[in-house]
């Protein structure tokens, strides 16, 4: 039988997919469990996969690669989709696509599969990634091709002698990895409903968070986080520690109406305590170390970067180009930011950088002023020249009517 590598989470959808791919499609299924953090226990995944009839179950710990080569570069780029979503799921998909392709080659498989539905972004990210990395591979998407209701899936597995206690479905559809957690569906589909407490798992509510704030110092080197409170940490340990600390203080809850690539608006609840804290800190460090022109262009690039990640174009020449720009901008983005974590907010309260452009002598209103105030007069004379000429020629009377500025709604 031809071999197929399936991205396997150990959940009901992909467990059913193993059986379906074997029985209905005639594949020898290799179940590939990619651990990007917060995945199910390895023994559970293995026993479910084997019970469903996988030829073998392989587990890859991809947490370090995920943070180092996907999440942190997105952080340095400032990539936040629609000013809200730090892209946890979107960043993990291209890595999974790459590992599927790698393992397919190792195993001599002709096909790969994933459990995405036909309504979301993830199918696009998987398919485009796989097609780019190995156009010869067949892609099968059992859930997209043959959506089965939950009860049907459980019956289907039982019919084939697989009886696993699946427990309650839970009120939401969850996807999570070390960079963030997403919850969709159920009552969240009503955008007027406040998310119930059960929608959150990583963060405390502001009310239940400790009354006293916590402070944490994040040190960056060339735009990448390297230490917390002066202690050097590897990327995974740093993110895990900050998820715990910031989550305890209620930081990182996001309630967002999001535009999917396939044209659907959807209501998403995210939790991303480390990502939100690190983005705030990184932005503050850039404010110290980049010029105003650099900050302005980088903001545009950040939007572009977020779009390409969200839209599944990780493996593209366009990404290589914008990544080269981002890397160049980060060459002096080193230093330390002090954050105050309190009742749902991560607030920047201190910053220092060896190559800071902030010059206290220029800024001060106290003694030691090095700025020449008399030079401002000449500057303003030139800066305002165009406006003065235009006012003289075109805003003839400079009456209130002539100067009226359009106001929305009027
Ligand atoms: N809306 C987010 C995204 O498109 C999260 C998707 C979560 N994925 C899932 N299969 N539940 O990246």
């Amino acid at each position: 039988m031809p071999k197929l590598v399936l991205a396997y989470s150990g959940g009901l959808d992909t467990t059913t997919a193993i059986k379906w791919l074997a029985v209905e499609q005639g594949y020898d299924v290799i179940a590939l469990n990619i651990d990007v953090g917060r995945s199910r226990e390895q023994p559970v995944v293995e026993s479910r996969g084997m019970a469903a009839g996988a030829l073998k179950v392989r587990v890859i710990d991809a947490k370090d690669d995920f943070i180092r080569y996907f999440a942190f570069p997105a952080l340095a780029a400032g990539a936040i989709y629609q000013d809200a979503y730090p892209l946890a799921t979107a960043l993990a998909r291209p890595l999974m696509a790459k590992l599927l392709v790698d393992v397919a080659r190792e195993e001599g498989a002709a096909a790969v599969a994933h459990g995405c539905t036909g309504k979301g972004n993830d199918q696009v990210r998987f398919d485009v990634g796989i097609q780019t990395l190995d156009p010869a591979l067949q892609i099968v998407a059992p859930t997209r091709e043959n959506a089965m209701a939950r009860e049907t899936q459980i019956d289907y597995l039982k019919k084939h002698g697989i009886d696993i206690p699946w427990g309650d479905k839970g009120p939401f559809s969850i996807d999570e990895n070390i960079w963030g957690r997403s919850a969709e569906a159920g009552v969240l589909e009503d955008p007027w409903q406040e998310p119930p407490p059960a929608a959150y798992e990583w963060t405390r509510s502001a009310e239940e968070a400790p009354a006293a704030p916590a402070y944490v110092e994040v040190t960056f080197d060339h735009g990448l986080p390297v230490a917390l409170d002066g202690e050097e940490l590897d990327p995974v340990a740093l993110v895990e520690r900050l998820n715990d600390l910031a989550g305890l203080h209620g930081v990182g809850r996001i309630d967002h109406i999001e535009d999917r690539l396939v044209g659907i608006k959807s209501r998403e609840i995210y939790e991303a305590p480390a990502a939100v804290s690190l983005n705030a800190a990184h932005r503050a460090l850039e404010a110290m170390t980049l010029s105003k022109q650099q900050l302005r262009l980088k903001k545009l690039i950040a939007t572009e970067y977020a779009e390409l990640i969200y839209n599944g174009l990780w493996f593209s020449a366009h990404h290589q180009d914008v990544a080269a720009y981002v890397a160049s901008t980060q060459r002096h983005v080193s230093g330390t930011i002090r954050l105050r974590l309190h009742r749902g907010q991560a607030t920047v309260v201190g910053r220092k950088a060896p190559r800071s452009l902030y010059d206290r002598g220029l800024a001060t209103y106290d003694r030691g002023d090095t700025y020449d105030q008399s030079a401002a007069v000449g500057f303003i004379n030139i800066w305002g020249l165009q406006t003065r000429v235009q006012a003289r020629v075109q805003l003839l009377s400079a009456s209130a009517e002539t100067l009226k500025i359009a106001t929305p709604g009027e």
Side-chain angles (χ1 to χ4, degrees):
M1 296 211 287
K3 282 190 191 170
L4 171 147
V5 183
L6 165 72
Y8 182 55
S9 70
L12 177 58
D13 285 341
T14 49
T15 302
T16 309
I18 293 179
K19 194 80 240 173
W20 186 82
L21 287 162
V23 174
E24 253 68 47
Q25 308 282 306
Y27 283 109
D28 265 343
V29 179
I30 294 148
L32 175 62
N33 181 251
I34 299 162
D35 180 4
V36 280
R38 312 267 173 169
S39 64
R40 284 182 183 78
E41 301 282 311
Q42 193 170 327
V44 174
V45 173
E46 275 167 4
S47 73
R48 286 182 180 182
M50 294 311 287
L55 190 67
K56 59 178 145 180
V57 178
R58 286 182 56 169
V59 179
I60 295 180
D61 179 350
K63 291 195 287 293
D64 188 73
D65 279 351
F66 176 53
I67 295 298
R68 208 180 281 277
Y69 301 115
F70 292 81
F72 277 5
L75 170 69
I80 302 284
Y81 184 64
Q82 297 190 319
D83 295 328
Y85 170 38
L87 294 161
T89 299
L91 284 161
R93 299 315 189 195
L95 173 56
M96 292 177 173
K98 183 198 179 288
L99 292 172
L100 278 174
V101 170
D102 287 351
V103 171
R105 287 184 176 156
E106 267 172 50
E107 300 279 355
V112 294
H114 57 71
C116 303
T117 71
K119 293 188 75 170
N121 302 306
D122 289 327
Q123 54 170 345
V124 181
R125 298 166 184 150
F126 268 114
D127 288 8
V128 172
I130 294 159
Q131 287 165 359
T132 309
L133 297 172
D134 191 342
L137 277 172
Q138 191 71 26
I139 303 172
V140 191
T143 315
R144 184 170 60 194
E145 281 171 31
N146 178 47
M148 286 190 223
R150 185 180 166 80
E151 295 316 316
T152 317
Q153 290 180 322
I154 293 172
D155 289 346
Y156 180 82
L157 288 173
K158 277 194 185 144
K159 191 179 89 189
H160 290 283
I162 304 149
D163 201 353
I164 295 172
W166 291 103
D168 276 348
K169 177 185 174 300
F172 312 110
S173 160
I174 303 296
D175 184 75
E176 55 186 343
N177 63 49
I178 181 175
W179 197 235
R181 175 179 191 271
S182 80
E184 303 169 339
V187 296
L188 303 176
E189 286 175 0
D190 178 354
W192 180 245
Q193 288 286 323
E194 181 175 356
Y200 298 106
E201 206 163 273
W202 293 18
T203 54
R204 289 210 193 171
S205 66
E207 299 77 52
E208 282 167 3
Y215 289 84
V216 62
E217 294 182 4
V218 187
T219 300
F220 292 84
D221 181 35
H222 295 85
L224 303 175
V226 291
L228 292 181
D229 292 327
E231 182 186 346
E232 282 189 28
L233 293 166
D234 69 72
V236 171
L238 188 148
V239 170
E240 281 175 341
R241 190 182 295 187
L242 202 49
N243 268 333
D244 289 345
L245 180 66
L248 173 71
H249 288 273
V251 172
R253 291 186 171 191
I254 298 153
D255 180 343
H256 181 222
I257 299 294
E258 178 170 296
D259 286 286
R260 289 191 190 160
L261 183 51
V262 295
I264 301 170
K265 278 191 187 291
S266 75
R267 207 283 187 87
E268 308 274 335
I269 299 301
Y270 296 114
E271 292 176 281
V276 166
S277 305
L278 290 172
N279 267 287
H282 182 262
R283 215 176 312 119
L285 188 57
E286 287 193 331
M288 294 284 278
T289 53
L290 298 185
S291 69
K292 111 178 173 183
Q293 292 87 350
Q294 288 175 303
L295 289 168
R296 192 174 60 217
L297 180 59
K298 188 154 183 293
K299 196 169 171 184
L300 298 178
I301 295 293
T303 306
E304 189 63 27
Y305 212 118
E307 292 280 334
L308 79 86
I309 292 168
Y310 190 83
N311 295 335
L313 302 178
W314 184 268
F315 300 109
S316 65
H318 182 46
H319 183 195
Q320 292 177 328
D321 294 343
V322 292
Y325 168 77
V326 170
S328 175
T329 62
Q330 298 302 292
R331 62 203 189 277
H332 305 303
V333 184
S334 301
T336 299
I337 298 297
R338 189 164 66 247
L339 290 174
R340 178 183 194 266
L341 309 171
H342 191 225
R343 302 248 203 232
Q345 296 297 320
T347 311
V348 173
V349 293
R351 54 287 256 174
K352 59 181 180 188
R355 298 270 173 91
S356 171
L357 302 175
Y358 177 85
D359 183 330
R360 190 165 181 183
L362 289 174
T364 188
Y365 288 99
D366 297 336
R367 240 180 318 200
D369 188 356
T370 59
Y371 177 82
D372 176 6
Q373 298 200 31
S374 67
V377 178
F379 166 74
I380 292 164
N381 191 30
I382 301 300
W383 173 248
L385 183 58
Q386 283 198 32
T387 318
R388 292 201 306 278
V389 170
Q390 193 159 35
R392 178 158 41 83
V393 177
Q394 296 177 349
L395 308 180
L396 291 168
S397 65
S399 70
E401 192 52 39
T402 318
L403 294 177
K404 199 164 170 20
I405 304 289
T407 305
E410 267 183 21

